[in-house]
Amino acid sequence: MAIVRRAFVAFALSLTISLAAISGFALADRTGTSSDPMAQMKGLADQLLAESRAPECQSGQKICRDKMRALVEAHWDVLEMARNALGVHWKSLDDNERHRFAKLFGNLTEAIYLSRANLSKAEGVSRDAKIEFVREIFDGNDYCQVNSYITLQGHDKPISVNYRLKRDGDVWKAYDVVVEGISVVANYRNQFNRVINSKGYPALVRELQERVQRVQASGEGA
């Protein structure tokens, strides 16, 4: 059970890093209403599971990775995620520094996601995974959290995966995901705070650049 559960969490975290962007094809047609965040996430999840079973994704072909990269960029609010991950230190940066940091942060999380693109290696999780969307909680007109559970056939205890979304026109873009109470952005914020407080912001930038290079070179997560 522990091994399967770790694999399941890895699957969920792949979902969080991509923010389900892999499944973005024909979104409005599949969901019926492009302005409904839960409907969008349902459509994304359906296609995520379908695409993960495609031969080119299961064999890790470049066409699959290129497709994922384009979709990640289209359905993921990198600037909002970077701002929240940097926390109070964001205020000390000028606009150019903010955009450079957001690009670097996006490169890092994209590299980590693409390194895990072959979901079939995660103990066969993608074949049996079922996603149930249970609730959407609005915070004003432009922010929403969509709560879901992911379960495997034959296993009773589901994993909670809550998506934090920001409206961009008719599209809801994810900027954080909370897996079993653990926020991906908060995790990064804690790491970044420690580096900045002990070594300074330039050191953080150098470390992130090095981490991107390592992930891209090795194909492993960070």
Side-chain angles (χ1 to χ4, degrees), residues 6-25:
R6 284 198 298 271
F8 200 5
V9 171
F11 170 76
L13 287 174
S14 291
L15 199 67
T16 72
I17 294 169
S18 68
L19 288 314
I22 181 176
S23 51
F25 293 120

Side-chain angles (χ1 to χ4, degrees), residues 10 30 39 41 47 51 85 96 108 115 127 133-134 137 140 147 170 181 186 192 205 208 217:
R30 289 182 64 87
M41 295 307 296
Q47 286 191 308
E51 291 294 333
N96 288 333
L108 172 65
S115 75
R127 296 181 181 276
F133 293 89
V134 295
I137 305 169
N147 295 352
D170 284 338
F192 296 169
V205 171
L208 294 185

Side-chain angles (χ1 to χ4, degrees), residues 188-201:
Y188 276 116
R189 186 163 56 243
N190 290 336
Q191 295 177 43
F192 296 169
N193 269 332
R194 286 195 295 270
V195 175
I196 293 175
N197 291 337
S198 62
K199 302 177 184 179
Y201 176 74

Side-chain angles (χ1 to χ4, degrees), residues 64-148:
C64 178
R65 296 168 69 87
D66 290 345
K67 180 166 59 178
M68 291 178 189
R69 180 178 292 107
L71 291 170
V72 165
E73 293 173 353
H75 295 281
W76 179 25
D77 196 330
V78 178
L79 188 64
E80 183 74 4
M81 190 174 187
R83 181 181 71 82
N84 285 304
L86 207 55
V88 296
H89 303 288
W90 184 261
K91 297 178 180 179
S92 64
L93 305 182
D94 61 32
D95 286 342
N96 288 333
E97 290 173 323
R98 289 173 178 177
H99 283 283
R100 285 198 297 269
F101 179 80
K103 180 176 177 58
L104 175 59
F105 184 73
N107 288 342
L108 172 65
T109 50
E110 177 186 283
I112 295 172
Y113 172 68
L114 291 176
S115 75
R116 299 172 180 169
N118 189 348
L119 298 180
S120 65
K121 292 181 179 179
E123 304 290 339
V125 168
S126 64
R127 296 181 181 276
D128 297 330
K130 294 186 182 300
I131 304 176
E132 179 185 8
F133 293 89
V134 295
R135 188 181 183 189
E136 54 186 9
I137 305 169
F138 286 89
D139 182 7
N141 294 323
D142 296 327
Y143 289 86
C144 181
Q145 177 170 298
V146 173
N147 295 352
S148 73

